[in-house]
Amino acid sequence: MKKAKFQILVFVILAKFGLNGLAQQNETKIQGVIHSPDNLPAMFSTVILMNKDSVYMKGTLSREDGSFVIDNLGEGSYFIMVRNIEFQNYISALIPIRKNEIVILDRIELKTSINKLEEVVVSGKKAMIEVHADKMVFNVSSSPNAAGNNGLELLGKAPGVLIDMDNNIVLQGKSGVQIFINGRPTRLSGSDLTNFLESLRSDNIESIEIITNPSSKYEAEGTAGIINIELKKNTSLGFNGNVIAGFSQGVYSRVNSGTSLNYSGEKISLFSSMNLSDDEFQDDFTETSLQNGYLLDKQSRSANNRKTFNFSGGMDYTINDKQSLSLDGRALVNDRNNVLRSTTGIIDTENSDSSEILKSEVLDDTPSSNYIVNLNYRFAPDNSSKLSADFSLGRYTSNKSTDQPNDYIDANDGLILRSIKKQYDADTEIDLSSALVDYEKKFDKITLSTGAKYSFITTGNQLAFYNIENGSPVFDISRSNNFSYEEKVAALYLLLGIKPSERIAFNAGVRMENTASLGFLKSEIPFADSKVPRNYTDFFPNLSFSFDDLKNSVISASIGRRIARPNYQDLNPFESRMSELSTWKGNPFLKPNYITNYQISYSYKRKLVISNNYSITNDFFATIFEISDEKGSVLIPRNMQKATNYALSLSYPLQVFKWWEFSSFFVYNYETYEGSLEGTEIDLKADIYSLRVQNNLKLPANITMELTYFVVSPWIWRGTIEVNGNQGLNFGFKKDFMDRKLLVQLTGSDIFRSRSDYYYKSNYGGMDITGVRTFDNQRFGINVTYNFGNQKAKARKKGKSAIDDDLNRISE
């Protein structure tokens, strides 16, 4: 009740600010005219307004006659900065202004640029963490510790992101994150998404954008929000490229190498990158469970090897000053081999003489491939409207071959009681296609956005099961099946942005999505749930409001609704044995879950950001253990009635000294999980916090050092299992040589080995489980990059869009 009263009070205050801003017309403005050294109007120059603390407030472009106007200002003192790529930057003296005053500046005369236009080099360094009103950006290229990581490991180093023990991505305490690449959804989930992200290399990633409450323009999929991974792209005229090599050592070694080649001209740009990697992974279990009078004491050790070939490339073509076309694609080819060896003591607590030991192996060979191609067309007929169309095709394949030899041994005399050997092949094919069109029209104080999207996804899963008899495989028709699933999603959205004044902004939108799906199981064993059709239409509204005092403070509030559809693998109802005592079984009746997000944020001087978020998830996806045949267990996904998450996050960057940049990110979550799962009542509550502290230090000899500390409290895994908290320390060094052509980076992750062991426990449904899972997180490595060719930034054509490039280079 107190939380509700607090939220109502905050919204009343925000509404009062908004009404006051609307009621009072603001005539305060600064105007002037800009000329070149040749006494000609300096048209299309970027004019930036900053407050007395040099914080960006707003910007505009000069007209064809060189004039400009910046209006709707608050009372105070400001600087004016003028940028034009042909001339030197201009910064005014401090300009005091009173309410409703019009300040006319003396004519601004720009000076000739010291460098020639074709020699302009962009060498500004982006901040490692950028905080914006609608998202947070982790600039990977600015992090010395990012080198040598794959995409999944890199996400685990982004603020507010946690990778759990199933490789699920958790954002500010919530799972169900939708992963985008260059603004397009990957359409992958579960182990398929894990394989894809592990195939990416940090050397090819420019930045990671974290969007916790997306607008209606984005797909409604992803209950926790969206993480967009921006890949690097050429920005230089002429030909250039680089060569990359990296090595890291933990319990196992990992190596990678690659190259990128780029060409950019006035009309056409070509870009490509290729990477090869050979990685070893550790994933060990020590677990004790008590069920039905049996004590199971399990120890498993695994060694996983993955060889990856990663290629991406494309072309940008400028048709004219209003139209452009781009074509890009990528190919990811994996060859993964896993060896899992387990020893399980099976003790009858009532009759210890009948105890036995199970020695088992799981030998997996899993080659997979992922191919994506995208075609994009953009048309901007004038400065107030733009149209874009995008078409994508993709195909994912995985061919898994598994051998499972099992020996049951008498615990007393060590004799083999019986041997059971099995083999199965599991093949997966996923075909994806999507088409979308977006249109945006800007009026005086209103922006209208609308668009449509259609996606079609088909997936096929074939399971061929064999029993090994007398050394030969015998096909088991009762355990083999084919499962197909197809999904069609048609969407329309409408988004209205209203900015009645410089202080106030409203956004209201709604997205409609119709989903038609069909899951079909073909098997010799009849199933009542062999065919599951669904067809449902949902509406996803989104409303946001922001107030900017144009000095120090920005307050924003938003509410939105989203959806998470089940993973394709989770819908297959057939059993897949992971060992003689452990089985995975899908659930074709999994329903999508829906989440409603409420968020209030406050920003001070665009540095300190405090965000308050509350979410309710209905039909939450939980993965639970169920007892099978007294000694065994089945792992199955089910819908839990409800999960709630209250989150408070705080981020703050600080320039302590010229040589020391400090940034911190703190998240507190209060989580609840409620529901009845097969007669077992789940009622879990947890207070969870995480803290990430990153330090960037400029050392002598032009060496940059990054030191990052991370701590997380106990948390909930799979909605039913409690995991102990841990902490870790990472470092990175980087230094340029040979006039910035050679970059050397040294990295260390989990250097005290305090984030490699995860202790967990659970007690529900007649099973009492305790265990520890161990990963190869303590690693030390080196990464070398050699750049060749023209590394100078190309000059962009003057035009309305030029302001976006300039403003992006201003550090907040």
Side-chain angles (χ1 to χ4, degrees), residues 319-339:
I319 301 173
N320 51 45
D321 59 351
K322 296 181 180 180
Q323 300 179 82
S324 64
L325 194 69
S326 66
L327 176 69
D328 65 89
R330 62 176 182 267
L332 296 142
V333 181
N334 286 304
D335 186 9
R336 189 160 189 157
N337 295 280
N338 302 337
V339 178

Side-chain angles (χ1 to χ4, degrees), residues 187-189 192 369 371 394-398 428-432 457-461 568-569:
R187 296 292 182 193
L188 298 177
S189 57
D192 300 328
S369 61
Y371 303 97
R395 182 174 177 81
Y396 173 86
T397 62
S398 174
T428 300
E429 296 178 355
I430 302 175
D431 291 298
L432 315 99
I457 303 166
T458 62
T459 176
N461 299 272
Y568 310 128
Q569 304 97 322

Side-chain angles (χ1 to χ4, degrees), residues 168-185:
N168 294 315
I169 301 166
V170 181
L171 176 58
Q172 294 192 15
K174 293 179 291 185
S175 59
V177 181
Q178 183 77 346
I179 301 298
F180 281 52
I181 302 293
N182 291 341
R184 301 182 180 96

Side-chain angles (χ1 to χ4, degrees), residues 136 138 151-164 167-174 177 179 197 208-212 224 226-228 665-667 669 690-692 710-712 755:
M136 180 174 292
F138 172 33
L152 188 65
E153 293 169 329
L154 201 59
L155 285 181
K157 295 183 177 182
V161 179
L162 173 70
I163 307 299
D164 75 7
N167 287 328
N168 294 315
I169 301 166
V170 181
L171 176 58
Q172 294 192 15
K174 293 179 291 185
V177 181
I179 301 298
L197 291 174
I208 295 173
E209 299 176 348
I210 300 168
I211 308 170
T212 56
I226 291 172
I227 294 179
N228 181 41
F665 193 89
F666 173 81
V667 178
N669 295 98
S690 65
L691 173 66
R692 183 187 299 273
F710 178 85
V711 59
V712 61
R755 292 202 69 214

Side-chain angles (χ1 to χ4, degrees), residues 635-699:
L635 199 59
I636 184 169
R638 293 196 182 278
N639 288 110
M640 185 181 291
Q641 181 181 355
K642 187 173 70 171
T644 66
N645 183 294
Y646 173 78
L648 177 67
S649 65
L650 184 150
S651 62
Y652 185 69
L654 178 65
Q655 183 82 40
V656 184
F657 301 107
K658 289 184 178 180
W659 51 270
W660 180 12
E661 294 179 5
F662 169 91
S663 62
S664 59
F665 193 89
F666 173 81
V667 178
Y668 165 77
N669 295 98
Y670 176 70
E671 299 180 355
T672 67
Y673 299 86
E674 303 172 6
S676 177
L677 299 173
E678 292 300 300
T680 299
E681 295 296 326
I682 301 294
D683 186 11
L684 291 177
K685 296 178 175 63
D687 291 280
I688 303 170
Y689 67 84
S690 65
L691 173 66
R692 183 187 299 273
V693 179
Q694 293 177 298
N695 299 272
N696 262 29
L697 307 172
K698 296 179 181 179
L699 305 180

Side-chain angles (χ1 to χ4, degrees), residues 51-57 74-75 77-78 503 547-555 602-609:
N51 66 14
K52 61 182 179 181
D53 297 318
S54 298
V55 175
Y56 165 78
M57 303 304 294
E75 184 174 352
S77 297
Y78 300 96
R503 287 184 170 87
F547 174 79
D548 187 344
D549 69 358
L550 302 181
K551 294 180 180 179
N552 296 317
S553 299
V554 179
I555 300 174
Y602 171 75
S603 172
Y604 180 71
K605 290 190 175 180
R606 303 182 186 269
K607 291 186 176 182
L608 172 66
V609 177

